[in-house]
Every structure is written in structure tokens, then in C-alpha cells.
Amino acid sequence: MSVQPKTFRNSSKRIILYVVLVGSSILMMIPFYWSVVTSLKLEKFVFTSPPQWIPNPLVWVNYIHVLTKMPFARYFANSVFVALAVTLAHVFFDTLAAYAFAKLKFPGRDQIFFVMLLALMVPFQVNLIPLYKIMAAFHWTNTYLALIIPNLTSIFGIFLMRQFLMTIPNELLDAARIDGCSEFGVFRKVVLPLALPGIATLIIFTFMGTWNDFLWPRIVINSEKLFTLPVGLALLQMKNTSNEAQIMAGTVLTALPMIIVFLFMQRQFIEGMTAGALKG
Amino acid sequence: MTAIPLPLPRRVTRSVKKYAIPYLFIAVPVISLIVFLLIPMVASLWWSLNDYSGLQPPKFVGLNNYIQLFTNDKIFGKGLVNTTVFVLLGMSIGPTLGLLTALMLNQKVRFRSFYRTAYYLPVMTSLVVVSTIWLMLYNRNGLINTVLQTFGVAKVGWLSSPHVALISIVIASVWQGFGFETVVFLAALQSIPRELYEAAMIDGAGGGAQFRYITLPSLRPVIVFVYIIGIIGSYQVFDQIYVMSSGGPVYSTTTIVYYLFTKFMDLRLGYASAIAYVLFAILVVFSYIQMRISRERA
Amino acid sequence: MYNKKVLFSLVIIVGLLLSSCASATTQPAAPVVPAATEAPSAAAPSAPTTAPAENVTITVWDYYGEATPIKPLIEPFQAAHPNIKINYEAYDWDTTQQKLDVVLTGGTPPDVTTVDMTWIPKYASLGAFADLNALSGGSLNGVAWKDAYTAGALKAITFNDQIIAALYDFDTYGLYYRSDLFEQKGIKVPTTWDELMAAAKALHEGDKYYYEFDADTFHGSQWIYENGGTLLSPDNKTVVFNSPEAVGAITFNDSLLKEGVAINWTTDQGERIQGVKDGRIAMFSDGPYYMGIMKSAAPEMAGQWKVAMHPTSKQNGSYLGGTGLVIPVGSTQKEAAWEFIQYAMQVENQIGVYTNAGAAPALKAALSSPEVNVADPYFGGEQAFSIFLKTMETATPFPYVRTWTDIDNAFTNAMQQIALGDLTVQEALDQAAQTAQEALNQ
């Protein structure tokens, strides 16, 4: 309780706080609510005035249409596999490298980090063709490898973790070193526990980024067996023919797994991690 | 050679031994950087000096593509202006909302996970999905216009009026994006040791003073991160434009990367690469200034 | 102990990655430019050789989606050609174009792919597709190319005296109109612009029954052709879409909007089919493929629509496009690929374009077949295809110049400015013509 700054002790200020929190949360949720509602409507009720806030009648035809037209389970499994593999790799490689950049001294450290930042500044669209040629040279096109190997680490992730690790006091690390810990021991015993909120953030963004990646998989993957969910869904949304209700059903189906992962993460990870961090 | 070891190699060997651990820690990212980013970058940098379609042999043209961009390409100029407006608006609203919401979520409040979910969900959702949803909301007869109508406001051409379209894209992007800043700020706020606040309170520091002397300085590395990543990311805005407006009407939402993409689709790889390197130069300058500022303050 | 174990396995992992990447670092030349030049273009003029005897696999890309007429051909084709196996891959329209860009410049292209004819200017001028005339020995299923297609279609598939695509379905614009409303209000189907204006005025009510148009080159060029103008001069050297004929044409289009009887279908209106269904649209101009879309997306409107020639001022005219089947020059199985194209172009398989996708087969023989020329109950029991066949006689493809995209963009932008009322027709077209001319001169 003592963490709580005095500002909000005042009860009228608390009321304002709640009004802002609840009001803005509802405003944030409306687009999602609206897309779910739309996906459960008959097409002719999508654009009505006044808006139909509760679908009447409530129908599942749009979902049935989407699910019968594509191997949803297969796309889903591909997406999960690729996102999990990439996320695991990131937590390990990004955090390790970030620790080196934030807390260890070695020649060329700042120069290498600077070059990494520079590479962030070239839009992916331009690297698309050269990267495709590299994949072709390795014979990796149209395989899971093309989705995973170029994404084992990310500059974004290293940068994010570096900024988090920089806030760890050096005294803690030195203390562990004096206790005889190796660098990896320091990393595992001191750095990792303190970096948990940052790691949770990294997991969320990496999983999300991989799950939602669209441009690269649709270029490098040819066979339907390897399609990820966003790529598979794009196939359904043919120009001219699809109606808004069906599009929204597809949209909800793409977004839903991510949202479930997040809600799960929220309970299992974030709460636990922040509790640990506050104690630390 | 073996009899009289040269000093330099020995120094290198020694330093490699000494620094083996850090180099090992960064090995995978560095290799990945070289193979999957730097090599493609060198290729596209070379293309930017050529007239290159990918199908015909490249024809070296020196700086012609760059000269063309700045002297004879009105659409590129428009794209530069549009993108800058997008970045200025987005980066002034997004991080502010992110910090405010993070500060609110860092309080002891009821139903905290509900608010957090509300702010985070858009970030969890892909830009393509978000853009599809907003495309429907911005429809002439969509939710926003019908709600406005009940208040007697005339229909707005959210995506069909050249004066409004870019603002509409900014609104959708901020809605989607500020939760990112909330996540990062909140994680950073929760990493601040509570002893610091306790000590400050014993010293009699009020809420404002605590914010200024403890919260803000502790957030500095993360604020730098948010702005650098944010500016780099928003200067590369693409998905929203691709799904919602295709750069129109009358180029009012054509951004640098969207324009680059149309050139890429037209198989003008040299010209598209030149656009990318102009953007690169802009971002390098921005990031340099930001890092200078943050270093001076620190 | 534990730490050392982890560190050890890390070393192993890094070592593995290093060694697997070692081959990569020897490759830096590959992605850099010189290597790219040896790609497709070098293999360009491939002489026809003997038919493939040993077993081959060809990759076919198809963007038709659900109602594809191509997928049903695969089984029977493989049965008839036991030595050719087909690797069939389906993508949406956007993805097909993007993937094609990437694989044509840096990978293994498919052996056969569907292409939108609007992509042809870009690809053809870069020599991306094999000459089918050489591969075919001058005839398609035993019929000379010039007899297989109408003159307009032949022009659309010819570039630099080569045949670069087999036109599979065609697209020309006719007038779709609400025949039920015309009947109710006693309006005559318009054949001239003046009659169109009168009909549009008589139809329009409040927020309903508009003449719908898109501010784009497909629709803009149609007005210009109908008024005796063109986009470029016959030699493709001069931009002429600001000629008096063109300005007059676009001014008429604009007057429909100014009179409040036409609606400019901007993106925030949603898909056009929405407006067709909810009554906002009573007339529009589009191609035969839209008949298939209406039947599948608006089945309840059967009997309310008909198709006619688009009204004209001086002469009939329309853009001519559609879907072509092409063989990328980088294909290593051109013979087998040609076999497949030829199979898809057989009359009975061409009819499938209509029966499966509801689009218009491009082959003359298929167009005159009884299966296609049935009375269509959806369109008032009339033979709607005969209208589009007639439109095809005077339709013309977009000019095949390398900078077509820039010209298209400039013109589309002018159309949007005019619709928004930002500039007068003359000003907008003059400015666009100047931009387009600069692009053309490059």
C-alpha cells in the first residue's frame, strides 16, 4: 500500500481516476466488440441506422462459411509452432546479447550495437528480394526454416532488453561475481530474475509479431500445408465477393488465438512476474 | 613466425580469450544480423545506384535515382510530408497516452486486469486485422457515422476526403499502438525498487516530487527506447495504408514506405531502394539527435 | 555444474549455427546484383524442342479462388498426360502479383500462372514471359492464333510480335442496369449519353438508385473512347488524355456527378456489391466477371438486373483485359507447361470459365458455344454474353509501355481531383498529362 503515491489518496481524485479508466477502456473495446457483433449478424444488418448493437438474429453462418472453406486447424498449428519456436529463441538469444551489450565491456561493443540499430532503419520491403534470394541459396524457401531461422533474434528484442537491463545496479552484479559466479551464472542467478517483467514484455511482442507476420510468410511459403493463419485467411478474402460479416468472422478467428494467449499470459506470467519484481 | 610472435596477433588472441564470453553471448545475433540484414542491405544499396528491374541486367546510373527523387518526383515529396505529419501526430499522442495509462495502471485500483486488457488488446492484434476493423468503422454508413448522425452530425468521409484521411489513419494507428508504450512503461515502472519511494516519503517528498526525481529518471532508458523505436516504426508506416486507403485519395495518405512498395511492385527495384536509403538517412539523423539529447541529460 | 552444462550446450548450439552459416558467408555474391542478371532474362529465347518424354512436374499458380475453373482440369490433364505431374498452388490476386515479382527477380518461377492483363505492361516490357507463338508453332489446339481470338484480344496478348499470354477469360465493360426499375418508371434503356443523363435523372430518388462510377482509368478511359479519344497516341509516344474529346468525355462524367444522379464509389462506400444490394446503385459499368459475382453474392436480386451496351457519344469503346495464362521465361518445363495451357484452352475447358467462375471465356469458339449462350434467368432471361462479345469488337487493351503504372496513377489521380471538385476537368487532365508525359519520356 505504501507504494501508492499520495496524489490519488484524495477520494474525488480517485473517482476521476475510475471514470477515466472505465471510460477509456470501454472506448478501446468498442472496435473489438463491434467486429465480434458484426461477425454474428446476417449481412443485411451490418450497416443499419441506428446501429444494431446486439445481433438479431444471432447467426453462426459467417463462421461456418470461413471454417468450412479452409483447413483452419492446420494453419493454426503452423502458426503456433512457428511462433513458439521463434519466441523461445528470442528469450534466450536476445536476453543474452542484451546482457552483454548492457553490462559487459568488450572491444567494439558500442559500434556493433550501433550497426544493429542502423539495420532497423531500412524498411523490410526493400530487403525482401535479397532475403528471398538468400533463402533460395540455402534451399529454405517453402520450409519452416525460412520462417524461423531469419527470426531467431531481433534487434528490437535486444534493444528492448538492453534498456531494461541497464537499470539493474552494477553493484548487484559485482556482488555475485565476488561470490564466485561465472558470467553466465551472474546472468542466470541475478540478471534473469530481475529482468522478468522485461522478458514477459519480450515474449508478448515476439509471439505477437510472429503470429501476425504476413508479408514474409506469404512470399516465402508456397504450399498450403505450411500456411500460417493470416496467410490462409487472406486467401478467403477474395476481392468483390466477400461480405463484411464474413470478413469480420475471419478477422475474429485470426485475432482470437492471440487474445487467448494474452489473457493466459496475463494471469500466469505478468501477475507473477510483477509481484516478484516489486518484492525485489 | 612461431619464433617471434608478432605483438598484434598475440594481443588479439589474448583479448579474444579475455572477451570470449561477451562475444559468445552476442554471436548468434551478430551472425544473423550479417547474413539476414547486412548482406541484403548492401545489395539494395547497390541497386539504388542502378536502374534495375530484377529481370534485366542492372544499369549503373550513379546518383540519378536520388536526384530524380528530389528534383522531379512530386509524389515522393508529398509522401515525405505525409509521413512526417503521421510521425509527429502519432509520436506526440501515443507515448503520452502510454505513460498516462501506465501510471494509472500502476495504482492500486480495482479490476486492474480489465483495464490492462482493454489497452493491450489492440497491440496484440495485427495491423492488418486492426486496419480491416477500422475500414469497416470508417465506412460511409459505418458505426462512427451512424453514431454521429444520432447527434445530428453530418456524415464524414473518413477515408474519402483528402483533408481527413490521414487523420483517420493516425487515429486508428494510435488506438492500435499506444498499448505498446503502456506495456513497456508499466514494466519499467514495476522494475523501480519500492525502497526508493519509501525513502523519498520519509524525506517528505510529495507525489509530484517523487514523479520528477524518482519515476522519470528511472524511466529514462525506456523513454529513449520508446521514442527511437516509435519514430523508426512510424516512419515505416505501411500496413494501415495498404489495407485502408491505398495511399489515396489524391495521394493524401501516400507515405514513404507505401510509395516505395508501389515502386517495388512496379519492378523499379533501383528506385525503390533509393527511396529506402533516403528514409534510412532521415532515421539515422533522428536517432543520432535523440541519442545525443538523452546522453546530455543523463 | 549446471551453469557449465548450459554454457557447454550453448557453445554447441553456436558452433552448429556457425558451421551452418559458414556456407552462407561464402555466398555474399549471390544476393548482390551480378548474380541476378544471370536469372531469367538470359534464358529468354528458348527454341521449341521435342515434347517431354520423361516424367516432369510443373507448377501452376491460380488466383481464381473458390470458383476456379483451373483446379478441375488437373485430374483429367494428368490422366491424359501420365508423364506430367502438376503441382497446383492457389493464392489470392494480390499475393499472386507480389510473389510473381519476387520469384521472377530472384527465385524459381512457376511454369504456368494466371496473370491479370493489367500486369502485362510491366512484365512484357521486361521480357518476363516466354513467346507462346514460338512454343506453339503458330497455333492453339490446331487453330491459328489469329483465328482463335478476336482482333482486340489478339492485340492484348501480342507484344513486340510475340504472343506472351493465352487470354483465358476476357473483361470488357458493359452497362448493368436495374431492369425492374426501368420498367416500373417507363424508362428506355439508354444508348446515347443524353439518354443516359435522362435515364439517370428519372431513376434517382433521394439516397438511392444512382449511376455508380469509379474514379479510375478503367471507367475514365471508357468515356474517352466513347467520345472518340484515346489515352496515348497510336505510336504510344504522346499522352493525349487531355485532348478536346477526352476533356469533353470526362466533363460529361462529371456532369452526372454535379447533377447529383451519379455516385463516386470511394473506398469508404465498401464493396460495390453492397450498394448493388441495398439499392444505392441502379446502373454501373463493369465486365462479364461481375455477373458471376452478382449471382453468388446477390442471388436474391435475380431478375432485377440486365446488361446492355454502355451508352456512347460517338462510338463504342471499352478497356480490354481479363486473365491470361503465361509461361515465365525462367521455367525449365516450357513444353509441359505449354501442354497444360493448350489443354486449358480447349473449347470444352474454356466453357468451364463460364460454368465455374461465371466469367467470360476468351476463345472465340467457346464464346459462340451453346453452353455459354444460354438464356440467363438472373439477367432477365437474356443472353448477357452476347453484349460483352459485341463490346470486345471495339475494346482495346491499355498501352503496353514500361511506365504504364505512372500514367495510370496520374490519370486516376486526375479523376479523383475532378470528382472532389478540387480542379476543373481541363486543369486536372492537363496536369496529369504533363506528369504522364514526363514518365513516358523516361
Side-chain angles (χ1 to χ4, degrees), chain B residues 187-286:
Chain B
L189 283 174
Q190 289 172 341
S191 311
I192 301 174
R194 76 160 73 173
E195 290 82 3
L196 288 179
Y197 287 108
E198 281 164 2
M201 270 191 286
I202 290 166
D203 292 348
Q210 285 179 27
F211 182 76
R212 188 160 355 130
Y213 296 112
I214 300 174
T215 315
L216 220 47
S218 308
L219 288 181
R220 180 156 293 139
V222 172
I223 292 175
V224 171
F225 170 80
V226 158
Y227 272 96
I228 291 185
I229 287 288
I231 288 184
I232 292 175
S234 11
Y235 254 106
Q236 298 183 15
V237 52
F238 172 74
D239 289 350
Q240 300 95 305
I241 313 287
Y242 181 74
V243 174
M244 286 200 269
S245 69
S246 307
V250 290
Y251 300 122
S252 61
T253 59
T254 296
T255 57
I256 302 176
V257 173
Y258 184 78
Y259 187 54
L260 177 162
F261 187 74
T262 62
K263 290 293 166 191
F264 157 76
M265 288 294 287
D266 199 26
L267 289 179
R268 293 176 183 284
L269 304 186
Y271 202 66
S273 303
I275 298 173
Y277 278 92
V278 173
L279 175 63
F280 178 76
I282 294 172
L283 290 175
V284 168
V285 170
F286 258 109

Side-chain angles (χ1 to χ4, degrees), chain A residues 14 18 24 107 208 271 274, chain B residues 23 108 116 119 123 190:
Chain A
R14 275 198 87 74
Y18 274 107
S24 58
M208 177 203 83
E271 299 286 357
T274 46
Chain B
Y23 283 130
K108 269 260 184 286
R116 186 163 53 198
Y119 300 139
V123 191
Q190 289 172 341

Side-chain angles (χ1 to χ4, degrees), chain C residues 369-389:
Chain C
S369 73
E371 288 90 337
V372 172
N373 290 286
V374 286
D376 192 332
Y378 190 99
F379 291 98
E382 291 185 352
Q383 291 182 17
F385 266 122
S386 60
I387 303 288
F388 292 105
L389 186 57

Side-chain angles (χ1 to χ4, degrees), chain B residues 18-35:
Chain B
K18 189 174 160 200
Y19 299 115
I21 295 282
Y23 283 130
L24 194 63
F25 283 7
I26 63 165
V28 172
V30 165
I31 292 163
S32 173
L33 171 80
I34 294 170
V35 178

Side-chain angles (χ1 to χ4, degrees), chain C residues 49-201:
Chain C
T49 48
T50 52
E54 70 267 40
N55 289 342
V56 295
T57 300
I58 59 169
T59 299
V60 176
W61 285 5
D62 171 9
Y63 67 40
Y64 271 96
E66 270 176 53
T68 174
I70 292 176
K71 200 176 177 188
L73 303 179
I74 296 190
E75 284 296 311
F77 176 81
Q78 290 183 141
H81 301 80
N83 62 326
I84 305 177
K85 203 181 154 302
I86 289 181
N87 173 30
Y88 171 82
E89 290 169 352
Y91 311 109
D92 59 295
W93 192 92
D94 276 347
T95 304
T96 307
Q97 193 185 5
Q98 286 167 23
K99 286 182 84 92
L100 211 49
D101 275 353
V102 172
V103 297
L104 285 175
T105 59
T108 316
D111 300 289
V112 176
T113 179
T114 52
V115 291
D116 191 300
M117 295 307 283
T118 57
W119 305 346
I120 294 280
K122 162 178 77 175
Y123 291 131
S125 57
L126 293 169
F129 301 139
D131 180 12
L132 300 183
N133 198 23
L135 269 172
S136 67
S139 66
L140 180 62
N141 289 315
V143 182
W145 286 94
K146 65 173 173 43
D147 300 324
Y149 287 112
T150 61
L154 200 64
K155 193 179 159 199
I157 57 174
T158 308
F159 179 80
N160 282 351
D161 299 325
Q162 294 189 340
I163 291 176
I164 43 161
L167 193 66
Y168 185 64
D169 81 34
F170 80 90
D171 195 21
T172 57
Y173 283 14
L175 177 75
Y176 287 76
Y177 65 98
R178 281 284 294 273
S179 54
D180 58 337
L181 295 175
F182 272 68
E183 222 163 275
Q184 244 174 55
K185 303 192 175 196
I187 308 167
K188 193 171 124 322
V189 179
T191 57
T192 67
W193 285 0
D194 292 340
E195 288 172 14
L196 175 63
M197 177 63 91
K201 282 181 177 167

Side-chain angles (χ1 to χ4, degrees), chain B residues 3 10 25 40 96 100 104 121 130 132 142 172 182 205 232 236 268:
Chain B
R10 201 168 69 187
F25 283 7
T96 314
L100 285 177
M104 289 195 294
L121 275 192
V130 163
T132 314
T182 313
I232 292 175
Q236 298 183 15
R268 293 176 183 284

Side-chain angles (χ1 to χ4, degrees), chain C residues 350-419:
Chain C
Q350 265 276 286
I351 291 166
V353 174
Y354 172 68
T355 50
N356 286 303
L363 209 58
K364 265 204 294 199
L367 271 168
S368 55
S369 73
E371 288 90 337
V372 172
N373 290 286
V374 286
D376 192 332
Y378 190 99
F379 291 98
E382 291 185 352
Q383 291 182 17
F385 266 122
S386 60
I387 303 288
F388 292 105
L389 186 57
K390 209 165 155 222
T391 324
M392 184 147 75
E393 286 167 12
T394 53
T396 171
F398 287 149
Y400 290 168
V401 292
R402 173 66 177 107
T403 47
W404 169 248
T405 315
D406 296 331
I407 298 166
D408 184 10
N409 287 342
F411 184 75
T412 303
N413 188 48
M415 290 288 289
Q416 288 177 355
Q417 286 173 320
I418 294 163

Side-chain angles (χ1 to χ4, degrees), chain C residues 193 223 227 243-254 425-426 429:
Chain C
W193 285 0
W223 298 115
N227 207 30
S243 66
E245 292 84 7
V247 173
I250 304 302
T251 304
F252 174 74
N253 178 26
D254 194 39
V425 175
Q426 186 76 55
L429 290 181

